[in-house]
Amino acid sequence: MQPANKQNIIAQDIASKIHHEIYAPKTFLPSEHQLCELYGTSRETIRKALDQLTELGLIQKIKGRGSLVLDIQRYTFPISGITSFKELNAALGMHACTKVLHLKKTVLPPQLITEETNKKQPAFFVERLRLINQQPAVLDRDYLLSPPVSTLPKTAAADSIYAYLEGKLGLQISYATKEITVEKADPTVAKKLALLADGLVVVVRSHSYLEDTTLFQITASFHRPDKFKFIDFARRKKILLHPTTAKKEF
Amino acid sequence: MQPANKQNIIAQDIASKIHHEIYAPKTFLPSEHQLCELYGTSRETIRKALDQLTELGLIQKIKGRGSLVLDIQRYTFPISGITSFKELNAALGMHACTKVLHLKKTVLPPQLITEETNKKQPAFFVERLRLINQQPAVLDRDYLLSPPVSTLPKTAAADSIYAYLEGKLGLQISYATKEITVEKADPTVAKKLALLADGLVVVVRSHSYLEDTTLFQITASFHRPDKFKFIDFARRKKILLHPTTAKKEF
DNA sequence: TCTTACAACTTGTCTATACATCTGTCAAAT
DNA sequence: ATTTGACAGATGTATAGACAAGTTGTAAGA
């Protein structure tokens, strides 16, 4: 799935050791020089591996001292900048299941047509209901653009669409934009999520792209407010994008 | 504020040129070799600058072709992994103001005491109401831990606390964890935000840390649901943190 | 005409080295 | 007892070079 170069292998290995508390929170990793000898690589390669862990929030580098293992795994672990169910984190191993309500080949509806899609863009439409402890928690409505998504069997939709796209179709998923809002639930959505009429629902809209910047997925995810939780780890960015703008904190 | 090393200057410069469409969306940046000559640096330095832009979502690197300028600035620009007002983006230059409701030195309330704080942790408590077009939009309740925050004048609270901490006190803000949920509004919150009784409110709780991993701020931010919007750009992470866990998409 | 092979260019990865800067320690000087 | 300074060890930054691997256009070949 991911290129098996040295820096990734090292990052994966250290991440795993942090996860298993071989490197415990609030302790320092071996120094970069020691890691060089440990893995038999140059210092830059070690540093690129550590950069990945820093970005993920697993460690914090402190100049002159070392790389400190952070104690925020409970926050950052199951996710990585994604929306998830409230219980999905705590409830690893809980009874969660996915019910595929619809799956058909169609074209993108007019309101989703933009300059980055064709006029009559073919797509697979998938509607899925996520249940946790038999309770409806999330309703996903996905359009998977075709091309690049050539086929989409129902079994893949019930399991993990991403695993299918990456594993079977060999697509390389790269990045996504997400937008979270709270809106009044549409009656069809309210019914499927067992919400009160006129109830509020959390909506996560996202566009997902491949490595060659091809748009391949447009999703709206409707979450029951009481089941919704979004966890994020953010580093303060150095680049000022709007120097003239009143800076928002973080 | 940020170290003025070559890679940051170059990243800042290219980001600025992208912003002003000197490098337009859907076009390629000059090649790394050309950028080397342009800035008179080595290729690794250029690459580290480009890595920053990649992480921010300004460009996408494509092997064998070049660095493509992405067309998602409208999404990613005013933010960078932060929560913001719904209008704050569109409403740059709109009439937004901050009213400081409270500012006092106190100790951290019991429910916020954790193993990473002292038992009787002194802190500044600040309560601020953010108004947009004279409408209450967000209520912020901040505890700024003292130490490391030695002083906090009211003028700083009305302006930007972060600018004060970084500029005047010389603190180096590094990272934060955030958690977004939707909850029933407490009566005191509902009143200040002019919500319906028993209405829902979006709550963003965050812990913010300095570069030496000192916790310095605990915040709860209450957003009117109809004014709330969170925008995010996320890259697919390579590191598998829970290999045994059902992978969540992204 | 079509296909293949290659050259030129791109980014990706890794190495080795050098020097700057910060932290902590410890010994010497005050 | 306190301060100062030297030093070792840590991360931060920059450089130069080498080779791998992907993309594109072109020229040679069938």
Side-chain angles (χ1 to χ4, degrees), chain A residues 34-78:
Chain A
Q34 287 173 310
L35 290 172
C36 286
E37 300 211 334
L38 196 56
Y39 292 101
T41 62
S42 67
R43 190 165 157 235
E44 280 296 333
T45 302
I46 293 294
R47 286 179 60 77
K48 282 170 184 168
L50 295 182
D51 282 347
Q52 295 186 38
L53 304 180
T54 302
E55 193 60 35
L56 275 174
L58 288 178
I59 63 172
Q60 172 76 0
K61 306 195 75 175
I62 304 178
K63 187 172 182 176
R65 303 228 287 145
S67 299
L68 195 55
V69 179
L70 292 182
D71 190 17
I72 48 170
Q73 303 159 43
R74 53 172 183 246
Y75 296 114
T76 55
F77 250 68

Side-chain angles (χ1 to χ4, degrees), chain A residues 104-119:
Chain A
K104 62 174 179 185
K105 184 137 192 191
T106 174
V107 296
L108 216 55
Q111 71 269 20
L112 292 182
I113 300 286
T114 66
E115 64 271 17
E116 58 187 342
T117 58
N118 299 322
K119 286 223 184 74

Side-chain angles (χ1 to χ4, degrees), chain A residues 214-231:
Chain A
T214 309
L215 175 66
F216 75 96
Q217 182 184 33
I218 300 175
T219 301
S221 219
F222 302 89
H223 298 243
R224 275 185 66 115
D226 57 322
K227 305 280 188 188
F228 176 78
K229 188 179 212 172
F230 179 88
I231 296 178

